[in-house]
mmCIF file of all heavy atoms in Angstrom:
data_model
loop_
_atom_site.group_PDB
_atom_site.id
_atom_site.type_symbol
_atom_site.label_atom_id
_atom_site.label_comp_id
_atom_site.label_asym_id
_atom_site.label_seq_id
_atom_site.Cartn_x
_atom_site.Cartn_y
_atom_site.Cartn_z
ATOM 1 N N SER B 1538 37.779 109.200 65.623
ATOM 2 C CA SER B 1538 38.919 108.347 65.273
ATOM 3 C C SER B 1538 39.713 107.958 66.513
ATOM 4 O O SER B 1538 40.205 106.834 66.617
ATOM 5 C CB SER B 1538 39.846 109.063 64.295
ATOM 6 O OG SER B 1538 39.245 109.129 63.024
ATOM 7 N N MET B 1577 41.532 96.245 61.918
ATOM 8 C CA MET B 1577 41.410 97.685 61.715
ATOM 9 C C MET B 1577 41.712 98.037 60.267
ATOM 10 O O MET B 1577 42.651 97.511 59.668
ATOM 11 C CB MET B 1577 42.388 98.419 62.640
ATOM 12 C CG MET B 1577 42.412 99.912 62.441
ATOM 13 S SD MET B 1577 41.907 100.770 63.942
ATOM 14 C CE MET B 1577 42.143 102.468 63.494
ATOM 15 N N VAL B 1578 40.896 98.950 59.734
ATOM 16 C CA VAL B 1578 41.110 99.447 58.373
ATOM 17 C C VAL B 1578 41.320 100.952 58.475
ATOM 18 O O VAL B 1578 40.529 101.652 59.100
ATOM 19 C CB VAL B 1578 39.909 99.114 57.468
ATOM 20 C CG1 VAL B 1578 40.105 99.705 56.081
ATOM 21 C CG2 VAL B 1578 39.716 97.603 57.383
ATOM 22 N N PHE B 1579 42.415 101.433 57.872
ATOM 23 C CA PHE B 1579 42.820 102.824 58.026
ATOM 24 C C PHE B 1579 42.413 103.673 56.821
ATOM 25 O O PHE B 1579 42.270 103.165 55.712
ATOM 26 C CB PHE B 1579 44.341 102.922 58.166
ATOM 27 C CG PHE B 1579 44.899 102.205 59.372
ATOM 28 C CD1 PHE B 1579 45.184 100.849 59.320
ATOM 29 C CD2 PHE B 1579 45.157 102.887 60.551
ATOM 30 C CE1 PHE B 1579 45.703 100.177 60.418
ATOM 31 C CE2 PHE B 1579 45.684 102.231 61.651
ATOM 32 C CZ PHE B 1579 45.956 100.881 61.590
ATOM 33 N N GLN B 1580 42.315 104.960 57.082
ATOM 34 C CA GLN B 1580 42.016 105.895 55.994
ATOM 35 C C GLN B 1580 43.071 105.798 54.886
ATOM 36 O O GLN B 1580 42.744 105.813 53.714
ATOM 37 C CB GLN B 1580 41.970 107.312 56.569
ATOM 38 C CG GLN B 1580 41.637 108.371 55.546
ATOM 39 C CD GLN B 1580 41.513 109.749 56.180
ATOM 40 O OE1 GLN B 1580 41.593 109.900 57.394
ATOM 41 N NE2 GLN B 1580 41.308 110.753 55.361
ATOM 42 N N GLN B 1581 44.332 105.701 55.281
ATOM 43 C CA GLN B 1581 45.435 105.685 54.297
ATOM 44 C C GLN B 1581 45.842 104.268 53.905
ATOM 45 O O GLN B 1581 46.972 104.048 53.490
ATOM 46 C CB GLN B 1581 46.644 106.442 54.845
ATOM 47 C CG GLN B 1581 46.370 107.905 55.161
ATOM 48 C CD GLN B 1581 46.021 108.712 53.924
ATOM 49 O OE1 GLN B 1581 46.337 108.312 52.806
ATOM 50 N NE2 GLN B 1581 45.355 109.840 54.104
ATOM 51 N N PHE B 1582 44.990 103.298 54.091
ATOM 52 C CA PHE B 1582 45.213 101.882 53.735
ATOM 53 C C PHE B 1582 46.331 101.231 54.560
ATOM 54 O O PHE B 1582 46.157 100.157 55.094
ATOM 55 C CB PHE B 1582 45.513 101.668 52.244
ATOM 56 C CG PHE B 1582 44.812 102.616 51.296
ATOM 57 C CD1 PHE B 1582 45.464 103.134 50.198
ATOM 58 C CD2 PHE B 1582 43.492 103.008 51.522
ATOM 59 C CE1 PHE B 1582 44.830 104.009 49.326
ATOM 60 C CE2 PHE B 1582 42.846 103.875 50.661
ATOM 61 C CZ PHE B 1582 43.515 104.390 49.563
ATOM 62 N N ASN B 1583 47.513 101.906 54.542
ATOM 63 C CA ASN B 1583 48.681 101.372 55.246
ATOM 64 C C ASN B 1583 49.027 99.939 54.849
ATOM 65 O O ASN B 1583 49.418 99.134 55.684
ATOM 66 C CB ASN B 1583 48.484 101.434 56.774
ATOM 67 C CG ASN B 1583 48.411 102.859 57.273
ATOM 68 O OD1 ASN B 1583 48.680 103.789 56.524
ATOM 69 N ND2 ASN B 1583 48.053 103.038 58.523
ATOM 70 N N GLY B 1635 43.299 102.928 44.398
ATOM 71 C CA GLY B 1635 43.005 103.191 45.806
ATOM 72 C C GLY B 1635 41.929 102.267 46.352
ATOM 73 O O GLY B 1635 42.047 101.732 47.459
ATOM 74 N N GLN B 1639 42.377 99.491 49.322
ATOM 75 C CA GLN B 1639 41.605 99.456 50.550
ATOM 76 C C GLN B 1639 40.922 98.100 50.717
ATOM 77 O O GLN B 1639 40.779 97.603 51.832
ATOM 78 C CB GLN B 1639 40.587 100.609 50.570
ATOM 79 C CG GLN B 1639 39.930 100.851 51.913
ATOM 80 C CD GLN B 1639 40.933 101.173 53.018
ATOM 81 O OE1 GLN B 1639 41.796 100.386 53.347
ATOM 82 N NE2 GLN B 1639 40.796 102.356 53.606
ATOM 83 N N PHE B 1656 36.628 100.467 61.218
ATOM 84 C CA PHE B 1656 36.925 101.188 59.969
ATOM 85 C C PHE B 1656 37.097 102.657 60.302
ATOM 86 O O PHE B 1656 36.166 103.325 60.731
ATOM 87 C CB PHE B 1656 35.780 101.020 58.965
ATOM 88 C CG PHE B 1656 35.627 99.615 58.455
ATOM 89 C CD1 PHE B 1656 34.889 98.683 59.171
ATOM 90 C CD2 PHE B 1656 36.220 99.227 57.272
ATOM 91 C CE1 PHE B 1656 34.745 97.382 58.707
ATOM 92 C CE2 PHE B 1656 36.077 97.934 56.788
ATOM 93 C CZ PHE B 1656 35.348 97.006 57.513
ATOM 94 N N ASP B 1657 38.327 103.163 60.098
ATOM 95 C CA ASP B 1657 38.598 104.562 60.423
ATOM 96 C C ASP B 1657 38.569 105.394 59.139
ATOM 97 O O ASP B 1657 39.579 105.551 58.476
ATOM 98 C CB ASP B 1657 39.956 104.678 61.123
ATOM 99 C CG ASP B 1657 40.207 106.080 61.655
ATOM 100 O OD1 ASP B 1657 39.278 106.907 61.599
ATOM 101 O OD2 ASP B 1657 41.331 106.347 62.116
ATOM 102 N N GLU B 1658 37.429 105.931 58.811
ATOM 103 C CA GLU B 1658 37.258 106.728 57.585
ATOM 104 C C GLU B 1658 37.840 106.001 56.374
ATOM 105 O O GLU B 1658 38.644 106.548 55.623
ATOM 106 C CB GLU B 1658 37.920 108.098 57.744
ATOM 107 C CG GLU B 1658 37.339 108.870 58.919
ATOM 108 C CD GLU B 1658 37.653 110.358 58.849
ATOM 109 O OE1 GLU B 1658 37.929 110.860 57.748
ATOM 110 O OE2 GLU B 1658 37.609 111.010 59.910
ATOM 111 N N ALA B 1659 37.397 104.769 56.207
ATOM 112 C CA ALA B 1659 38.004 103.883 55.215
ATOM 113 C C ALA B 1659 37.853 104.386 53.785
ATOM 114 O O ALA B 1659 38.589 103.968 52.894
ATOM 115 C CB ALA B 1659 37.401 102.487 55.335
ATOM 116 N N THR B 1660 36.896 105.279 53.544
ATOM 117 C CA THR B 1660 36.696 105.732 52.161
ATOM 118 C C THR B 1660 37.088 107.196 51.954
ATOM 119 O O THR B 1660 36.968 107.717 50.851
ATOM 120 C CB THR B 1660 35.218 105.563 51.737
ATOM 121 O OG1 THR B 1660 34.394 106.277 52.666
ATOM 122 C CG2 THR B 1660 34.808 104.106 51.734
ATOM 123 N N SER B 1661 37.580 107.849 53.014
ATOM 124 C CA SER B 1661 37.830 109.292 52.915
ATOM 125 C C SER B 1661 38.972 109.658 51.976
ATOM 126 O O SER B 1661 39.010 110.757 51.445
ATOM 127 C CB SER B 1661 38.119 109.882 54.300
ATOM 128 O OG SER B 1661 36.984 109.737 55.110
ATOM 129 N N ALA B 1662 39.925 108.725 51.792
ATOM 130 C CA ALA B 1662 41.071 109.066 50.948
ATOM 131 C C ALA B 1662 40.864 108.632 49.499
ATOM 132 O O ALA B 1662 41.765 108.742 48.688
ATOM 133 C CB ALA B 1662 42.334 108.413 51.513
ATOM 134 N N LEU B 1663 39.665 108.135 49.206
ATOM 135 C CA LEU B 1663 39.426 107.580 47.866
ATOM 136 C C LEU B 1663 38.792 108.597 46.925
ATOM 137 O O LEU B 1663 38.033 109.469 47.347
ATOM 138 C CB LEU B 1663 38.497 106.376 47.965
ATOM 139 C CG LEU B 1663 39.021 105.168 48.740
ATOM 140 C CD1 LEU B 1663 37.927 104.135 48.902
ATOM 141 C CD2 LEU B 1663 40.226 104.575 48.034
ATOM 142 N N HIS B 1690 32.172 109.395 56.881
ATOM 143 C CA HIS B 1690 31.499 110.607 56.394
ATOM 144 C C HIS B 1690 30.459 110.245 55.343
ATOM 145 O O HIS B 1690 29.818 111.119 54.766
ATOM 146 C CB HIS B 1690 32.516 111.589 55.808
ATOM 147 C CG HIS B 1690 33.401 112.197 56.853
ATOM 148 N ND1 HIS B 1690 32.912 113.005 57.850
ATOM 149 C CD2 HIS B 1690 34.736 112.106 57.057
ATOM 150 C CE1 HIS B 1690 33.919 113.383 58.628
ATOM 151 N NE2 HIS B 1690 35.031 112.849 58.175
#
Side-chain angles (χ1 to χ4, degrees):
Chain B
S1538 287
M1577 176 118 176
V1578 177
F1579 299 85
Q1580 181 176 355
Q1581 300 296 339
F1582 327 140
N1583 294 350
Q1639 192 59 299
F1656 293 85
D1657 188 7
E1658 301 198 22
T1660 56
S1661 296
L1663 296 173
H1690 291 296

